[in-house]
Amino acid sequence: ADEPKSLPDYAAWKERNALIVHSANTMETQRGAIGNGVITSSDRLFVRNNLPAPPASVTDNPDAWEVRMEGVKNPRTLTVGDLKQMGVTTVASVLQCSGNGRAFFPHGASGTQWSVGAAGCIMWTGVPLKDVVEALGGPVDGTRYITSTGGETLPDGLDPKTIIVERSVPTRAMETALLAWEMNDEPLTHTHGGPLRMVVPGYYGVNNVKYVKNVAFTENQTDAKIQASGYRVRDVGVKGAPDQPSMWEMNVKSWVTSPLESGQSGRNMIYGVAFGGTVPLEKVDVSVDGGKTWKQARFLGPDLGPYAWRPFVLAADLAAGEHRIVSRATDVQGNTQPEGRIENERGYGHNGWSDHGVTVAIS
Ligand code: MSS
């Protein structure tokens, strides 16, 4: 058997036993470690880096970190210290990798084989992007995207466009986006993008650019590979291209977090988490017979707003034997999780309820 991988230095502070270490750049939360909390503790949150993370020293003097603001009437370079004078808000939002659930695709979608744990619900604190943009005169006319650039040092000898983490989201995201310097009430670590991170509530992880050094209102999407052909939904066997849907707003999703393997006959509490992406959640139904019959679960804990997840619970009387336990979330617009997968080349955006179920042996 393979030696269990140890945590890389930049994530050494994490709770090793709560994580599955796929590689030095990819770690997911164990399904059984997600728990019933509304907020994911930082030491259990998944990590995904497309490039090696910058050194820990980037957060030595966080207030001095600079971000260039472009595509606004009065372009400027601002420090985190400046941003802290411009406004502050806290938003609870699910951070989820586009490829969460990829492991369920039978065609062997390439990329990290995430199961359910490339997701967490986080309290982000920072300045609303809107406040910063208004202070700089508003976006330049004709701009349609907000393009954020990550601050990693790029390796020599490669075309920067092929590796840089630079993502464009539609300008409608300006209403809710923030430039965050705190995660779960603590200064943002370099592991998760400190000193400053673009947070786009309800959008897939990749749009939440870490160590953000440039934010530009642009007419077009960036031609960086991670935008142009990466993170695009297309049929199996098809190459990524700019005309395919980009991984922006997340879809409605849920999964069971307990029990996962076994239990005693009689009353069992079935727990899980559910969220609606950018649309508030309406309800979660749970089935203990693989989707033949459903019962509505009860939400647990406070509602921290449309972008947060909601832990849920259903008390079910289970007889001895095997039970296939599945959950199905529905948002207030009536979008509900499909039963199956939407097959696609890179295994993005999987919210099918069947694959996300668990088979539990009750004795
Ligand atoms: N940012 C930067 N700068 N870099 C990188 O790499 N990645 C992405 C985001 N951002 C990156 C960034 C991804 S891809 C994800 S998921 C996220 O991030 C994660 O986070 P964390 O904090 O957990 O690590 Mo997929 O869609």
Side-chain angles (χ1 to χ4, degrees):
D2 289 346
E3 277 277 295
K5 293 190 188 88
S6 50
L7 293 167
D9 285 349
Y10 73 95
W13 56 276
K14 295 255 168 187
E15 179 58 49
R16 174 67 188 84
N17 295 332
L19 296 165
I20 301 165
V21 180
H22 291 288
S23 75
N25 286 337
T26 48
M27 288 145 258
E28 76 171 284
T29 314
Q30 299 264 10
R31 192 169 186 147
I34 292 171
N36 308 323
V38 185
I39 294 301
T40 304
S41 70
S42 303
D43 59 2
R44 293 176 174 216
L45 180 66
F46 82 103
V47 180
R48 195 271 189 266
N49 278 339
N50 297 64
L51 286 171
S57 58
V58 298
T59 54
D60 282 353
N61 185 3
D63 286 0
W65 178 266
E66 293 183 340
V67 60
R68 176 84 192 150
M69 302 292 306
E70 287 175 347
V72 287
K73 307 252 163 66
N74 306 304
R76 256 181 81 184
T77 300
L78 297 166
T79 64
V80 170
D82 296 332
L83 293 174
K84 286 180 176 171
Q85 307 300 311
M86 298 175 87
V88 65
T89 188
T90 298
V91 177
S93 171
V94 172
L95 182 70
Q96 180 189 217
C97 186
S98 311
N100 198 28
R102 179 181 287 135
F104 300 119
F105 285 86
H107 71 278
S110 73
T112 304
Q113 296 302 298
W114 308 112
S115 161
V116 296
C121 185
I122 298 301
M123 286 287 226
W124 303 103
T125 295
V127 62
L129 178 63
K130 221 177 142 183
D131 291 1
V132 180
V133 171
E134 271 167 19
L136 303 183
V140 165
D141 294 342
T143 53
R144 296 181 296 156
Y145 299 97
I146 307 164
T147 299
S148 306
T149 311
E152 288 105 333
T153 310
L154 302 179
D156 286 333
L158 290 168
D159 175 359
K161 288 281 175 202
T162 64
I163 46 175
I164 197 164
V165 176
E166 187 170 86
R167 285 287 299 176
S168 302
V169 295
T171 45
R172 60 178 177 268
M174 183 176 65
E175 296 306 314
T176 55
L178 61 155
L179 287 164
W181 52 78
E182 265 179 31
M183 184 175 113
N184 293 344
D185 288 335
E186 285 177 331
L188 190 54
T189 58
H190 78 300
T191 323
H192 291 293
L196 191 68
R197 181 171 194 164
M198 173 61 75
V199 171
V200 190
Y203 280 56
Y204 285 99
V206 66
N207 305 291
N208 296 260
V209 173
K210 305 195 248 188
Y211 344 101
V212 64
K213 66 166 188 194
N214 203 91
V215 175
F217 282 75
T218 55
E219 217 171 297
N220 296 306
Q221 297 177 37
T222 168
D223 60 358
K225 185 171 173 242
I226 196 170
Q227 180 83 23
S229 60
Y231 297 85
R232 297 278 176 184
V233 183
R234 69 272 189 179
D235 289 346
V236 176
V238 174
K239 286 210 164 83
D243 61 342
Q244 302 153 353
S246 190
M247 296 308 287
W248 285 334
E249 287 97 344
M250 294 192 287
N251 55 27
V252 61
K253 188 167 177 178
S254 70
W255 58 85
V256 168
T257 55
S258 171
L260 298 179
E261 277 163 17
S262 59
Q264 303 284 303
S265 63
R267 176 60 49 113
N268 277 261
M269 304 302 271
I270 298 165
Y271 295 98
V273 289
F275 53 97
T278 56
V279 182
L281 206 56
E282 169 81 30
K283 60 164 185 166
V284 182
D285 297 306
V286 169
S287 169
V288 297
D289 55 14
K292 285 193 208 79
T293 60
W294 298 88
K295 272 192 183 146
Q296 194 172 329
R298 183 164 62 78
F299 290 132
L300 278 171
D303 181 354
L304 294 184
Y307 313 109
W309 73 22
R310 299 224 55 191
F312 63 83
V313 65
L314 179 78
D317 290 317
L318 300 180
E322 269 202 352
H323 292 265
R324 182 72 182 165
I325 306 179
V326 290
S327 63
R328 186 184 63 194
T330 304
D331 70 26
V332 297
Q333 293 176 359
N335 301 301
T336 190
Q337 293 180 245
E339 177 173 0
R341 287 177 297 274
I342 316 281
E343 303 293 346
N344 69 95
E345 173 64 15
R346 293 303 307 278
Y348 289 138
H350 188 6
N351 67 342
W353 57 256
S354 180
D355 282 350
H356 286 84
V358 291
T359 300
V360 176
I362 299 295
S363 55

